[in-house]
Amino acid sequence: MNTIKLFQQDVYMKECSAIVADVIYEEQDAERHPGLKWKKDGKSALIVLDQTVFFPVGGGQSCDIGTIAGLEVTDVFDIGETIFHKVTLPETCEGGADEAKGALPETGSTVHCAIDWPHRFDNMQRHCGEHILSGMFHKAYGGVNRGFHMGEEYMTVDISLEDDPAYDSLTFDMALHVEDMVNEAIWANLPVTTRRFATRAEAENLPLRKKLTIEKDISIVCVGDENDPSDCVACCGTHPATSGQVGLVKIYKVEKTKACSASTSTPATGP
């Protein structure tokens, strides 16, 4: 089924009501969803909703967490157009797994969904900060983002100096120059827009930092004026409406890595 992605309509939506389209508890339940692998453990289940505010893991961003019908949501992922929410069943003293299963909502019932907003907004800040950082590395030194990881306390971004032959190594002074550029863009409180395109041909008219590798259903995130953006790139994550909400980006260190021809920088964002 096609789960309606409410987080694409409004990233600030914190809760919603939804109809339960399916519940996967037994292993044979997974057969209704091609590609889904599920092993019954008696402690968790998957819930499919007609619509959701929960962002699934993807684009380098961790999934939302929160509650559905009072059950803790610990993982959210998608297969095709269907979004699956993994919930933890309550521990019981008597009745074991059968009693725990009874806590699951029934298919067709309406449930209340709520995300952990501080977790979501933290991801929005950090993801947008990573965008601006990558955009400024490319603008200043031809640096190409070859990957990033969003940790709990900091992020790492792999920058490869390959688009400007004048630079083949990254110094900490260069990184600090980029840091200044990034924070100037943040404090300018630039608009952050997400535009969706049905085909690659439509999206390629924008000043993209990286070439597109997908052919359809493309989301382009742009920070600032599209004619001279701080960043413009395909991304499926969630971002704040303005750059000012990122707060601050601080680069802690620069180090050489085997996987990247230049270096890895570790920024953190905050209010």
Side-chain angles (χ1 to χ4, degrees):
M1 65 165 290
N2 291 347
T3 307
I4 299 173
K5 302 171 183 177
L6 298 176
F7 53 84
Q8 288 187 343
Q9 301 174 19
D10 181 2
V11 294
Y12 294 94
M13 187 180 295
K14 304 176 181 67
E15 55 187 306
C16 74
S17 293
I19 297 173
V20 178
D22 198 6
V23 177
I24 297 94
Y25 179 74
E26 308 287 352
E27 293 182 17
Q28 58 266 31
D29 296 337
E31 296 175 1
R32 296 190 290 268
H33 302 276
L36 176 63
K37 296 182 179 180
W38 175 252
K39 186 174 180 60
K40 176 183 175 181
D41 60 13
K43 300 178 181 179
S44 61
L46 298 177
I47 295 178
V48 178
L49 305 171
D50 69 327
Q51 61 180 9
T52 185
V53 290
F54 284 85
F55 175 80
V57 61
Q61 181 175 320
S62 64
C63 69
D64 283 328
I65 54 177
T67 60
I68 295 177
L71 299 173
E72 182 183 5
V73 178
T74 59
D75 190 19
V76 185
F77 61 92
D78 57 7
I79 298 177
E81 295 300 317
T82 304
I83 295 179
F84 298 86
H85 309 75
K86 183 178 181 180
V87 297
T88 300
L89 302 180
E91 295 184 1
T92 56
C93 297
E94 299 179 357
D98 289 337
E99 184 175 329
K101 181 181 178 181
L104 289 168
E106 296 183 356
T107 299
S109 63
T110 300
V111 292
H112 179 259
C113 310
I115 62 171
D116 181 327
W117 174 248
H119 174 79
R120 157 73 75 81
F121 190 64
D122 187 46
N123 275 347
M124 289 166 57
Q125 287 181 298
R126 294 189 295 168
H127 205 152
C128 188
E130 176 270 327
H131 273 281
I132 302 172
L133 182 76
S134 299
M136 292 308 185
F137 263 119
H138 189 265
K139 181 174 292 188
Y141 303 116
V144 176
N145 182 331
R146 290 302 179 191
F148 73 98
H149 173 70
M150 298 174 68
E152 291 297 325
E153 301 297 330
Y154 61 90
M155 292 175 59
T156 60
V157 182
D158 298 327
I159 301 295
S160 176
L161 300 182
E162 56 188 75
D163 277 3
D164 189 336
Y167 303 100
D168 60 6
S169 63
L170 181 63
T171 67
F172 194 62
D173 284 341
M174 292 166 65
L176 291 181
H177 172 60
V178 169
E179 180 185 289
D180 287 341
M181 295 174 64
V182 171
N183 286 316
E184 286 177 5
I186 290 173
W187 298 330
N189 203 31
L190 303 171
V192 180
T193 58
T194 301
R195 294 174 59 187
R196 294 181 173 85
F197 301 88
T199 67
R200 178 174 177 170
E202 296 174 288
E204 285 182 326
N205 293 324
L206 295 173
L208 301 174
R209 167 168 52 85
K210 295 177 69 173
K211 293 182 179 180
L212 292 173
T213 58
I214 50 180
E215 297 296 331
K216 59 181 181 178
D217 298 328
I218 301 167
S219 296
I220 302 295
V221 175
C222 184
V223 181
D225 189 336
E226 286 184 359
N227 295 315
D228 184 26
S230 294
D231 193 41
C232 186
V233 72
C235 180
C236 66
T238 56
H239 310 82
T242 60
S243 62
Q245 294 177 56
V246 173
L248 176 74
V249 166
K250 176 61 182 174
I251 298 177
Y252 292 129
K253 66 178 180 178
V254 171
E255 60 185 19
K256 186 80 173 178
T257 66
K258 294 180 180 179
C260 191
S261 61
S263 61
T264 301
S265 59
T266 56
T269 63

